[in-house]
Amino acid sequence: MLSERVRAIKPSPTLAMNAKAVAMRRAGVDVISFGVGEPDFETPQHIRQEAVRAMEEGFTRYTAVGGIPELKDAIIEKFKTDNGLEFDRDSVMVSCGGKHVLYNLAQAILDPGDEVIIPAPYWVSYPPIAVLAGAEPVIVPTEARDDFKLSPEALEQAITPRTKLLVLNSPSNPTGVVYTQSELEALAEVVLRHDIFVVSDEIYEKLIFDDQVFFSIAQVSDALKARTFVVNGVSKTYAMTGWRIGYVGGPKEVIAAMTKIQSQSTSNPNSVAQRAAIAALNGPQDSVLEMKRAFDERRSVLVDRLNALDGVVCNRPQGAFYAFADFSHYYRKEKDGHTLDGSTALCEYLLTQARVALVPGIAFGADNFIRFSYATSLETIAQGLDRITEALEALSS
Ligand code: PMP
Ligand code: GLU
């Protein structure tokens, strides 16, 4: 009964883990969750107030398919001031979250047989989004010792005559890695030589630590910008995951095609949420800095605690709110006659024994690792790590 396409994919493992933790909590189990990646802060007050105002004004009808002009203008201004990128209203578009932008883009440019290069560890939804468009994900592994960065040589090697698109994500979910300007320039040189497209997922742009400076590959040159889709959204920056507003800047003809697809699927992003997104982009940005400060502090505590665990190694993430730690030291260990054989088994063990929800690295294409979202309080981090320490110590070697 089901289509081949849908049979080829699995549900989002991050959302599945979230659902599991929520169900356990509902059943009265006190679960600590490092699972889903969503800020634990409230959407800032001025943004919520704008939504209330929009509702009270009766801004409750269908809107322009690709987003209302005022929101498009706010996005154009954001790209200009933050990234030095010029777009006009025909080259930006709003969808129901960054995920939906990626879905629309895949549907608009990919055909069966096309290859999409996805460096691993990757965000869980990139391969299924390519598969749903009939395309083939080509996973290119990267190593912790190389800071999980795709090298120009590895990119070059992965390119074939069927390559259509490269997916870049900086700051990265799950590794927290941030590409520098010169690294992006080196990748851009390969992209231009092979005439492929790039989607640059910049959803964690504002969550960047230490002295890192954010740079978009679209800034490398006009030639590169002409083949790049810059994806961003309000979910992570403004703690607005439930509002479902994401946006993209890119070549006009593809934006028009994506708008056509949206007109035949979701019609438009939620009207009230679009008004809230304008308040987010145009309003005061101090809440962004406050959230970033909190994430930074949690990052230090979490990464230090992870590295203090026997046999665990965790690179210091430079952006986003994830720590990706190598737990493979525990994979051959036993508990009650049962041998843990990978990240899924270890996460299941930690969920049942320690009541801690995590996402197994295999979901991101790297089975040696486990992902921790530190979008949670310092107290929760400390408690969660205490529980994990105890559960790991209970494993026999
Ligand atoms: N890209 C990455 C790397 C993400 O982690 C997420 C998180 N959900 C998204 C895109 C999409 O976010 P949203 O659909 O909420 O805008
Ligand atoms: N992107 C977040 C995560 O990786 C939210 C869940 C999702 O959309 O996959 O946990």
Side-chain angles (χ1 to χ4, degrees):
M1 183 162 99
L2 300 177
S3 69
E4 269 177 45
R5 279 189 319 286
V6 85
R7 278 186 283 139
I9 64 161
K10 293 197 183 110
S12 162
T14 44
L15 296 181
M17 179 50 91
N18 193 38
K20 220 180 211 177
V22 169
M24 281 175 77
R25 238 177 240 145
R26 249 192 223 127
V29 183
D30 109 74
V31 189
I32 288 184
S33 181
F34 295 105
V36 75
E38 84 175 328
D40 54 324
F41 303 101
E42 280 300 340
T43 303
Q45 176 103 30
H46 69 278
I47 300 174
R48 287 183 277 149
Q49 270 168 354
E50 178 59 18
V52 171
R53 204 170 304 132
M55 276 190 281
E56 286 185 346
E57 281 171 12
F59 194 71
T60 53
R61 301 187 187 277
Y62 292 131
T63 72
V65 171
I68 55 178
E70 297 80 0
L71 178 52
K72 284 192 165 192
D73 289 346
I75 291 164
I76 290 166
E77 192 56 34
K78 181 255 168 264
F79 277 135
K80 192 148 103 194
T81 47
D82 289 353
N83 314 110
L85 296 171
E86 300 274 350
F87 291 107
D88 58 24
R89 282 188 189 169
D90 293 337
S91 47
V92 297
M93 176 190 178
V94 187
S95 295
C96 312
K99 194 185 272 185
H100 188 218
V101 169
L102 295 167
Y103 184 84
N104 282 336
L105 174 63
Q107 294 295 323
I109 67 169
L110 298 175
D111 273 320
D114 286 344
E115 291 176 352
V116 180
I117 295 180
I118 303 175
Y122 48 75
W123 178 45
V124 296
S125 291
Y126 298 143
I129 285 173
V131 167
L132 284 173
E136 202 180 307
V138 173
I139 308 300
V140 182
T142 64
E143 302 296 330
R145 62 170 180 275
D146 302 327
D147 227 357
F148 296 112
K149 283 177 177 165
L150 177 70
S151 68
E153 296 77 28
L155 172 60
E156 181 98 49
Q157 266 185 9
I159 292 175
T160 75
R162 289 158 62 196
T163 307
K164 183 88 178 255
L165 184 64
L166 163 67
V167 181
L168 283 180
N169 175 214
S170 173
S172 151
N173 175 5
T175 63
V177 156
V178 178
Y179 283 81
T180 64
Q181 176 171 350
S182 59
E183 287 161 349
L184 291 169
E185 283 167 352
L187 292 174
E189 191 274 319
V190 181
V191 165
L192 284 174
R193 196 148 33 76
H194 290 277
D195 204 20
I196 61 176
F197 293 95
V198 182
V199 54
S200 179
D201 181 345
E202 305 181 356
I203 200 120
Y204 296 100
E205 172 190 8
K206 298 287 179 184
L207 299 173
I208 187 165
F209 310 115
D210 304 329
D211 45 9
Q212 288 285 325
V213 180
F214 180 79
F215 188 80
S216 168
I217 191 166
Q219 289 174 274
V220 168
S221 65
D222 285 345
L224 214 284
K225 177 169 171 264
R227 45 189 50 261
T228 301
F229 301 91
V230 185
V231 177
N232 211 319
V234 296
S235 284
K236 315 291 172 172
T237 309
Y238 302 101
M240 290 178 71
T241 46
W243 298 76
R244 310 310 302 130
I245 296 288
Y247 56 87
V248 59
K252 277 188 186 32
E253 58 283 22
V254 179
I255 297 295
M258 290 167 69
T259 308
K260 180 165 73 174
I261 292 165
Q262 190 153 291
S263 80
Q264 297 288 20
S265 49
T266 61
S267 299
N268 59 259
N270 175 287
S271 62
V272 170
Q274 290 188 66
R275 285 278 296 271
I278 297 175
L281 292 173
N282 290 348
Q285 302 293 305
D286 26 329
S287 52
V288 180
L289 286 178
E290 265 166 49
M291 290 190 261
K292 178 172 131 157
R293 239 175 265 131
F295 286 133
D296 195 0
E297 194 182 0
R298 296 158 176 192
R299 172 181 69 133
S300 298
V301 171
L302 175 63
V303 173
D304 288 351
R305 291 264 337 234
L306 286 171
N307 281 311
L309 290 172
D310 189 28
V312 172
V313 186
C314 183
N315 284 6
R316 194 174 164 80
Q318 298 162 319
F321 39 65
Y322 307 102
F324 205 53
D326 188 330
F327 272 77
S328 56
H329 174 74
Y330 292 94
Y331 288 179
R332 284 157 305 280
K333 309 238 178 216
E334 267 191 34
K335 178 72 183 165
D336 305 331
H338 177 71
T339 306
L340 299 173
D341 61 359
S343 60
T344 305
L346 184 56
C347 285
E348 267 164 23
Y349 170 72
L350 292 172
L351 184 62
T352 49
Q353 296 297 309
R355 290 162 288 123
V356 174
L358 300 155
V359 187
I362 198 163
F364 308 91
D367 194 31
N368 282 350
F369 297 81
I370 290 184
R371 190 190 80 172
F372 288 69
S373 160
Y374 53 86
T376 187
S377 70
L378 285 171
E379 198 188 359
T380 307
I381 292 172
Q383 250 182 2
L385 266 290
D386 288 347
R387 290 186 186 184
I388 291 171
T389 308
E390 203 178 305
L392 292 178
E393 280 168 5
L395 292 172
S396 59
S397 27

